């Protein structure tokens, strides 16, 4: 069956602290390993009181230290905010500390607003596709044996990253459009689609990725295309409860669009939104498995089958962290039951 993973943004809930959010993130990492999820990723965001995932590499280190088999990584590191050398040194160090459990997912968006992005930038304001691809090639070189050749010397200026050498940290390309998909394909790397909030070009992006995939690229790490896609999740014993709890997620989404983002709000019986906001949120969040465990599993099976997805990465928000943990646990249990039933049928 399609593998399941988790994307955590370390949400901060109304009435709690950042320390509470980080403690919740640690518990979720432990749950993810115990429940059988394939990997846990953290997404980089800045200038927000709603999320505590700004220092992504530190969260990865914390999760890896509190687990023993779970793959942990970034979904992603927003490359325009960081020098590739610094990224290579951080993730090379993680690989030495925790072995072959570290993933490096890379995105081209800033993960924040324009003013904050300007403060984060490392001197270059070139967010173009060519610069992004060149920085990924440089990262692949840092994680390899760092043999100097004409291109690597031009990209690295002859500077090496000793702590990253030979770690071969797996690289992933994140994207919400055909541009990121094309880069992932050309470089021979796995592709992670941000369909949990930007599903509008999903079909075209996956098609582009597969058409452009080049297993012979110098940066290639896999022999054939591999697609991960994001989906939102809220599972509860009844559909009514799941839909009620999911209003916290919907409120967060609308607040972002209004420019009033803050800590996660409690669920509500009736959403306070204008018709155009409801339409926008419903469209953007349409890849959402909300309901009982069986209903959510059926939605995810259909989603994966419709697009030929190899892995689904789930994200979910709840005002009560215990409800978020319950949601992920119920989903994993249902998915495992389905896997056992499929195995028995193939028998």
């Amino acid at each position: 069956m399609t593998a399941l993973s988790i994307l955590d943004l370390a949400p901060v809930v109304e009435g709690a602290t950042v320390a509470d959010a980080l403690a919740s993130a640690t518990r979720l990492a432990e749950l993810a390993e115990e429940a059988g999820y394939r990997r846990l990723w953290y997404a980089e965001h800045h200038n927000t009181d709603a999320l505590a995932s700004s220092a992504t590499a530190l969260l990865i280190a914390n999760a890896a230290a509190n687990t023993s088999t779970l793959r942990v990584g970034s979904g992603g590191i927003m490359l325009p905010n960081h020098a590739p050398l610094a990224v290579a040194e951080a993730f090379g160090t993680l690989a030495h500390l925790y072995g072959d459990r570290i993933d490096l997912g890379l995105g081209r968006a800033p993960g924040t607003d324009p003013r904050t992005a300007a403060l984060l930038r490392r001197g270059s304001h070139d967010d173009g596709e060519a610069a992004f691809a060149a920085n990924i090639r440089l990262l692949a070189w840092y994680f390899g044996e760092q043999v100097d050749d004409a291109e690597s010397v031009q990209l690295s200026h002859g500077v090496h990253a000793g702590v990253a050498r030979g770690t071969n940290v797996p690289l992933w390309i994140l994207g919400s459009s055909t541009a990121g998909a094309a880069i992932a394909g050309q470089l021979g790397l796995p592709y992670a689609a941000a369909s949990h909030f930007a599903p509008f070009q999903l079909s075209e992006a996956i098609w582009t990725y597969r058409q452009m995939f080049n297993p012979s690229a110098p940066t290639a790490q896999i022999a054939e295309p591999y697609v991960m896609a994001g989906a939102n999740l809220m599972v509860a014993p009844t559909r009514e409860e799941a839909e009620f709890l999911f209003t916290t997620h919907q409120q967060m989404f609308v607040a972002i669009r209004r420019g009033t983002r803050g800590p996660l709000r409690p669920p509500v019986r009736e959403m306070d939104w204008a018709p155009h906001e409801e339409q926008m949120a419903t469209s953007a969040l349409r890849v959402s498995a909300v309901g009982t465990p069986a209903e959510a599993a059926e939605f995810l099976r259909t989603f994966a089958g419709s697009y030929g997805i190899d892995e689904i990465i789930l994200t979910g928000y709840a005002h009560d962290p215990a409800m978020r943990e319950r949601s992920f646990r119920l989903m994993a249990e249902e998915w495992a039951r389905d896997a056992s039933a499929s195995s028995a049928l193939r028998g």
Side-chain angles (χ1 to χ4, degrees), residues 72-144:
V72 189
S74 62
I77 289 291
M78 300 295 105
L79 203 46
N81 299 338
H82 307 279
L85 176 61
V87 175
E89 290 177 334
F91 279 76
T93 301
L94 288 168
H96 284 295
L97 287 171
Y98 303 109
D100 184 23
R101 294 202 287 138
I102 305 301
D103 298 325
L104 176 52
L106 298 160
R108 192 161 60 94
T112 187
D113 59 90
R115 285 187 305 160
T116 308
L119 292 174
L120 285 166
R121 296 301 163 92
R122 46 189 165 79
S124 170
H125 292 271
D126 187 354
D127 295 339
E129 296 163 23
F132 183 56
N135 284 329
I136 294 167
R137 292 197 301 273
L138 177 56
L139 280 168
W141 181 79
Y142 282 137
F143 292 125

